[in-house]
Amino acid sequence: MQKLDLVLFPNQGLREVCATVTEMTDELDRLIDDMFYTMYDAPGIGLAAPQIAVQQRVIVVDVSEGKNQPLALINPEIVRSAGQITWEEGCLSLPDIYAKVERPSEIIVRGMNRDGKKVEMEANDLLAICIQHEIDHLNGRLFVDHLSPLKRTRLLHKFKKLQAEKTGS
Ligand code: K1U
Ligand code: ZN
């Protein structure tokens, strides 16, 4: 397994709609292993393929305390959503900035697991938030896009300032 480089904002790849996966291959299975390795190492509770420069509809998630409930979904789709929850979200592609985002609190998500089997499951609270955040990535959407234009501009300005400080530019 290997740790993959994370793609950071404002990379254009984070703004693209990812391609549907047409077949489960050994290469895709290895990519999923590498995605989990990269997510746990970050550390994060989710990761979407475009964050490691792969423009395909693949996400991995683990919101458990023990980091022992890995979930990989291929071509995930939300088929039903209800309720409302606000959570302070972060993003591995926008390190060190956080904002409260409102989303549905309960979802039914459909997709394929890494064995190539169709799956449909219900998710609530943090798991639902995380799956929605990752599916947004597959559609070129970032958590800051859920904020008002003023909040988004302020946060992205802060992000650019922090990055400039880090890189000394
Ligand atoms: O997709 C990503 O950028 C990963 C992101 C997922 C996410 C976080 C918060 C709400 C929704 C989705 C992260 O994992 S950021 C890191 C983070 O939240 C975290 C890291 C370690 C422990 C607990 C949380
Ligand atoms: Zn993210």
Side-chain angles (χ1 to χ4, degrees):
M1 263 181 277
Q2 56 168 326
K3 189 171 112 183
L4 305 166
D5 287 338
L6 287 167
V7 171
L8 297 186
F9 179 87
N11 188 296
Q12 194 46 39
L14 294 174
R15 290 312 198 174
E16 289 171 10
V17 176
C18 295
T20 300
V21 173
T22 51
E23 126 182 83
M24 189 65 214
T25 60
D26 289 348
E27 193 190 347
L28 186 53
D29 201 49
R30 277 194 298 276
L31 177 84
I32 290 170
D33 279 341
D34 291 344
M35 285 177 69
F36 276 120
Y37 190 85
T38 306
M39 176 190 81
Y40 289 126
D41 178 81
I45 56 172
L47 190 71
Q51 294 181 281
I52 42 104
V54 174
Q55 304 308 122
Q56 298 215 45
R57 302 187 78 81
V58 181
I59 65 170
V60 297
V61 169
D62 189 347
V63 300
S64 70
E65 294 261 320
K67 298 288 154 218
N68 54 4
Q69 286 170 41
L71 171 69
L73 286 174
I74 299 146
N75 301 333
E77 272 180 83
I78 292 167
V79 292
R80 211 172 312 152
S81 58
Q84 198 175 295
I85 188 168
T86 302
W87 194 270
E88 180 140 273
E89 297 193 15
C91 181
L92 297 176
S93 297
L94 282 157
D96 305 319
I97 67 162
Y98 304 89
K100 284 185 179 158
V101 175
E102 194 181 290
R103 297 183 187 268
S105 57
E106 297 160 37
I107 59 168
I108 307 272
V109 63
R110 209 180 263 169
M112 195 163 70
N113 67 16
R114 63 188 301 177
D115 300 322
K117 294 214 173 83
K118 280 186 185 169
V119 287
E120 184 171 298
M121 59 176 281
E122 187 182 325
N124 298 296
D125 304 322
L126 184 55
L127 181 58
I129 293 167
C130 195
I131 291 172
Q132 290 173 82
H133 178 115
E134 303 313 330
I135 293 177
D136 272 355
H137 275 302
L138 304 182
N139 293 322
R141 198 156 192 226
L142 300 171
F143 79 100
V144 291
D145 300 333
H146 290 267
L147 308 175
S148 70
L150 180 64
K151 277 192 191 157
R152 181 167 57 244
T153 303
R154 280 194 184 146
L155 219 56
L156 292 179
H157 181 76
K158 183 178 167 190
F159 173 73
K160 283 174 188 158
K161 197 165 164 245
L162 288 172
Q163 286 301 110
E165 281 165 15
K166 265 191 206 167
T167 58
S169 60

